[in-house]
Amino acid sequence: MGKTLFDKVWDAHVVDTVDNGPQILYIDKHLIHEVTSPQAFNELEERGIAVARPDQIVATADHNTPTQDQHLPIRDEMSRKQLQQLTENCEKHNITLYGLGHKYNGIVHVMAPELGITQPGMTMVCGDSHTSTHGAFGTIAFGIGTSQVGQVFASQSLLLNKPKSLRVSVNGTLAPHVSPKDVILYIISKIGTNAGTGYFCEYAGNVFEEMSMEGRMTVCNMSIEMGARGGMIAPDQTTFDYVEGRKFAPQGDAFAKAVSYWKTLPTDQDATFDKEYHFDAEDIAPMLTYGTNPGMGIKINGAIPEKGDMTFEKALEYMNFKGGAQLLDTPINYVFLGSCTNSRIEDFRIAASYVRGKHKAANVNAWLVPGSQQVAKQLEEEGLKEVFEEAGFALRQPGCSACLAMNDDKIPAGEYCVSTSNRNFEGRQGQGARTILASPLVAAATAIAGKIVDVTKEAVA
Amino acid sequence: MEKFTKLISTAVPLPIENIDTDQIIPARFLKATDKKGFGDNVFRDWRFKKDGTLDADFPINKPQYAGAKILVAGDNFGCGSSREHAAWAIVGYGFKVVISSFFADIFKGNALNNGLLPIQVTPEYLKELLAGIEANPELPITIDLENQVVETAFAKAEFEIDPYKKVCMINGYDDIDFLLSKKAEIEAFEKERMVF
């Protein structure tokens, strides 16, 4: 029987199998940040263990960093200490850190692919559930807890049971206003937030084959929102072209050799999956969420279901929405364009092309947060910073920002925020804040109109 | 890690589905660099009202459930963020077991790595258990890890646990010890692995 993409990468990294138990999986790259690593470093120190492979670890500061005045000392004492701790730990253990202000600094899932750290066929982990993002390259990448961060520090390996396999296929032609974010929000709205639990997902079909790497990263990023630890897309010419020439990508002959190996990774024709879903691209529209989990999504011009279970009622009460209502024309005072889901150059290009020549609505506070220093630089080089400024927007500095609201970027209680991030949980963007997940295009259109508008009625850029 | 063999305790019912780790411990409490004190803020925004006072209606705050070491929660418990702080907060508050009809992957692993036993039961058994606790808050529940059984006066259920993890829980072992014992195998693997 043939092997799946996941099987091929997994099997190439199994060190050993425990009798009747888990397998030891070798980890090629370990990404760390300030929030989920300090207790793992403490653990190592308490046990007197050294970091096994510091050269396979890359650190960034992103979760708890300000998005304004990054050159000044951080005001919040606990945040400042947490970042200092990361710096000290990295220095002590010889780990490369792209700290605040460094030209490579950024959200861990934006900067690593950009630098060519993420490559097909690798195993990658990070103490962050959105590590699934890197699966866009045909990489086994998944989020881990802090105990596991410690295990990788100690052994460059993890003890894991091989997950089951799931394939989600989307074929056909997407409508003009439909973006990768809409595709994944649509999938999750159909299969629910735990359909993928216990599985590793592969996305297949012409829709993903035709997507840019940025789009594929958006899709794989939200795999965890349907419960799957990771999501992968077979590496192809789009992948190779993206990786080629990046700072940490293989160069010259090594690159050619790598590509010939990467070409062997796609799922074999005769491979089978434990579970499969098929969707038609024609059924997908720009999406919005109305509730408090990412599975509670509707088409932009659709209506919230009339009735539901206890979770549904609780969510509507929190969101202050009524069953059967439409979201179009809902006044919106906050818009967030950012997060590891949608803060890449392509996301800002789409938003910029929409806002060009228009002006931000007076009632809207819009937070535009590039995913990395490199994205920020590109925005300037491409003249997009100017486009945003002329439309009344100000760009912030890179970081996770209002996606999880650990820093000062908090949406006030009771306010709606149309957000390009990944989670609409209660209080996720600030205590009492009400999140509506959407694509960069819908976020940009909301910021201009000051309310939710039907982008499908607008001319395509 | 603390050893776990058998526990007899009352339980707190939390019949809410899809409880995500942002609810278990909101992000604003993740700034600490050690594992201490997270129990004080477990379910912070559900346990406390907007004015900062305890919400007497939230199950964990009800006096009849004081001292319970078992949390019985709705389907898909622990979804969302990978933050292990969620497991530290639940353990820090004093719980030793969480029972649900479904657990998110990362939370389940994090729980097991902190001596917190996640027990998956059928939706029917969960419903029965919740009703039983509702009717009698002092209902004792027995958790027998050795025999993989959860039992009350009116219903008994078996539960699954990874055999390796079971040994770890019973003996208080953790994965670091095991992985360090495999150093030679890991180094041998490294020599053979593909690097470009």
Side-chain angles (χ1 to χ4, degrees):
Chain A
M1 200 179 68
K3 280 181 159 192
T4 65
L5 162 65
F6 175 77
D7 289 333
K8 293 180 192 181
V9 182
W10 178 279
D11 294 350
H13 289 85
V14 174
V15 174
D16 202 358
T17 301
V18 181
D19 287 339
N20 295 318
Q23 292 183 300
I24 301 173
L25 193 77
Y26 189 82
I27 303 302
D28 292 318
K29 282 280 181 305
H30 185 190
L31 307 171
I32 62 168
H33 61 84
E34 73 275 24
V35 177
T36 57
S37 66
Q39 292 88 349
F41 280 113
N42 294 347
E43 182 87 35
L44 246 62
E45 269 162 42
E46 280 162 22
R47 294 172 182 237
I49 306 168
V51 172
R53 296 288 175 263
D55 54 336
Q56 284 167 245
I57 308 172
V58 178
T60 185
D62 58 359
H63 278 63
N64 193 9
T65 53
T67 55
Q68 285 176 318
D69 296 328
Q70 288 186 348
H71 61 290
L72 297 177
I74 297 169
R75 285 197 304 269
D76 182 274
E77 198 193 337
M78 286 189 83
S79 302
R80 195 173 61 244
K81 281 191 174 161
Q82 197 174 46
L83 287 157
Q84 264 167 11
Q85 192 73 54
L86 179 72
T87 309
E88 284 166 22
N89 284 333
C90 289
E91 278 171 5
K92 198 166 170 184
H93 297 278
N94 292 316
I95 294 167
T96 303
L97 165 67
Y98 300 129
L100 216 51
H102 192 282
K103 65 176 177 172
Y104 296 148
N105 175 258
I107 304 176
V108 61
H109 311 309
V110 177
M111 52 74 74
E114 247 172 21
L115 291 171
I117 293 168
T118 307
Q119 294 163 26
M122 278 184 169
T123 49
M124 291 180 84
V125 293
C126 174
D128 186 283
S129 61
H130 292 112
T131 307
S132 58
T133 309
H134 308 267
F137 292 78
T139 305
I140 290 186
F142 54 92
I144 55 176
T146 297
S147 295
Q148 292 175 308
V149 171
Q151 291 157 25
V152 183
F153 281 161
S155 69
Q156 204 55 37
S157 302
L158 280 174
L159 275 164
L160 297 161
N161 288 301
K162 190 176 180 181
K164 287 183 277 186
S165 62
L166 159 71
R167 180 161 61 184
V168 176
S169 304
V170 185
N171 284 290
T173 309
L174 292 173
H177 301 85
V178 175
S179 71
K181 180 65 165 289
D182 301 307
V183 173
I184 188 65
L185 282 173
Y186 175 83
I187 293 168
I188 302 168
S189 78
K190 289 290 169 194
I191 71 176
T193 52
N194 64 11
T197 309
Y199 294 83
F200 227 85
C201 180
E202 179 175 343
Y203 300 95
N206 72 290
V207 164
F208 304 111
E209 286 162 15
E210 290 158 18
M211 260 180 205
S212 66
M213 287 314 294
E214 285 87 351
R216 293 179 189 183
M217 284 190 255
T218 298
V219 170
C220 291
N221 172 277
M222 290 192 71
S223 303
I224 187 69
E225 311 311 335
M226 58 185 190
R229 197 110 185 228
M232 304 173 85
I233 293 173
D236 58 9
Q237 198 56 45
T238 306
T239 323
F240 312 146
D241 290 346
Y242 181 96
V243 174
E244 189 171 13
R246 292 188 185 260
K247 186 168 171 63
F248 295 104
Q251 311 289 334
D253 286 351
F255 184 76
K257 215 176 125 198
V259 168
S260 62
Y261 168 62
W262 296 341
K263 282 183 174 169
T264 68
L265 294 175
T267 294
D268 297 331
Q269 285 288 340
D270 57 343
T272 56
F273 289 79
D274 295 309
K275 189 150 86 170
E276 293 230 40
Y277 294 101
H278 296 273
F279 297 103
D280 293 326
E282 287 77 8
D283 292 338
I284 308 177
M287 297 289 290
L288 295 171
T289 61
Y290 61 87
T292 54
N293 73 52
M296 302 171 99
I298 53 171
K299 294 180 178 177
I300 193 159
N301 50 19
I304 298 170
E306 291 283 346
K307 278 194 177 71
D309 57 10
M310 235 172 73
T311 306
F312 173 83
E313 300 299 339
K314 189 174 182 290
L316 287 203
E317 195 193 322
Y318 181 85
M319 294 297 290
N320 196 28
F321 286 142
K322 297 260 178 293
Q326 280 209 318
L327 296 184
L328 288 180
D329 293 330
T330 305
I332 303 292
N333 295 331
Y334 286 84
V335 172
F336 173 53
L337 178 57
S339 86
C340 58
T341 314
N342 282 123
S343 65
R344 297 182 180 82
I345 189 64
E346 191 178 272
D347 302 316
F348 284 94
R349 281 183 194 139
I350 290 167
S353 74
Y354 185 88
V355 308
R356 190 186 294 271
K358 299 187 180 86
H359 205 274
K360 181 182 80 68
N363 62 308
V364 169
N365 293 289
W367 297 342
L368 277 60
V369 187
S372 68
Q373 291 288 356
Q374 301 247 73
V375 172
K377 189 166 161 251
Q378 237 175 320
L379 284 168
E380 215 158 318
E381 285 166 0
E382 294 184 16
L384 302 183
K385 187 172 179 247
E386 220 177 316
V387 171
F388 285 115
E389 282 170 357
E390 278 170 10
F393 297 94
L395 290 171
R396 291 188 167 224
Q397 291 168 299
C400 298
S401 181
C403 173
L404 83 166
M406 241 191 112
N407 65 359
D408 291 337
D409 305 348
K410 293 177 171 64
I411 308 299
E415 290 284 357
Y416 292 114
C417 177
V418 168
S419 176
T420 65
S421 55
N422 39 60
R423 287 183 176 140
N424 50 348
F425 298 153
E426 282 185 31
R428 172 82 180 180
Q429 296 195 286
Q431 277 181 281
R434 294 166 172 152
T435 304
I436 297 168
L437 300 177
S439 70
L441 173 64
V442 171
T446 306
I448 295 297
K451 59 181 185 177
I452 296 173
V453 289
D454 188 354
V455 289
T456 64
K457 303 250 160 59
E458 315 241 347
V460 183
Chain B
M1 202 170 79
E2 223 175 290
K3 293 178 186 178
F4 188 112
T5 46
K6 199 170 182 176
L7 173 77
I8 303 172
S9 169
T10 55
V12 186
L14 201 54
I16 302 169
E17 293 184 355
N18 299 307
I19 295 178
D20 59 78
T21 52
D22 272 85
Q23 307 315 314
I24 300 171
I25 185 87
R28 63 184 188 280
F29 299 112
L30 308 187
K31 295 178 183 179
T33 52
D34 57 31
K35 296 181 185 178
K36 295 181 204 110
F38 290 104
D40 297 340
N41 294 311
V42 73
F43 298 109
R44 177 78 198 194
D45 294 339
W46 286 350
R47 266 172 65 220
F48 291 86
K49 288 194 231 167
K50 281 185 191 125
D51 64 7
T53 58
L54 271 185
D55 182 348
D57 291 334
F58 189 65
I60 289 180
N61 295 336
K62 291 183 179 175
Q64 62 264 43
Y65 302 124
K69 296 202 178 331
I70 302 170
L71 182 67
V72 183
D75 201 59
N76 200 24
F77 187 83
C79 57
S81 158
S82 60
R83 61 189 70 165
E84 195 159 316
H85 312 65
W88 301 334
I90 292 173
V91 171
Y93 191 80
F95 291 111
K96 304 228 174 267
V97 172
V98 185
I99 300 177
S100 174
S101 49
F102 200 83
F103 288 93
D105 280 338
I106 305 179
F107 176 81
K108 195 175 178 178
N110 287 343
L112 288 164
N113 283 335
N114 286 278
L116 175 69
L117 183 63
I119 297 182
Q120 187 171 326
V121 295
T122 62
E124 296 73 31
Y125 188 83
L126 183 73
K127 218 171 143 187
E128 213 175 319
L129 197 57
L130 286 166
I133 300 164
E134 200 74 37
N136 173 19
E138 284 167 25
L139 180 77
I141 301 170
T142 303
I143 311 292
D144 178 353
L145 177 56
E146 194 87 53
N147 294 303
Q148 298 176 222
V149 167
V150 46
E151 191 172 9
T152 65
F154 59 86
K156 183 175 171 177
E158 289 183 352
F159 63 87
E160 297 286 320
I161 181 169
D162 180 83
Y164 164 80
K165 277 295 174 193
K166 181 176 169 179
V167 173
C168 289
M169 286 285 287
I170 289 173
N171 296 294
Y173 296 159
D174 60 34
D175 291 355
I176 287 194
D177 300 327
F178 186 85
L179 287 166
L180 286 173
S181 75
K182 293 284 179 179
K183 201 176 167 200
E185 285 90 335
I186 293 168
E187 284 178 355
F189 176 88
E190 277 181 323
K191 293 200 179 82
E192 302 294 316
R193 82 183 177 112
M194 222 171 317
V195 185
F196 298 106

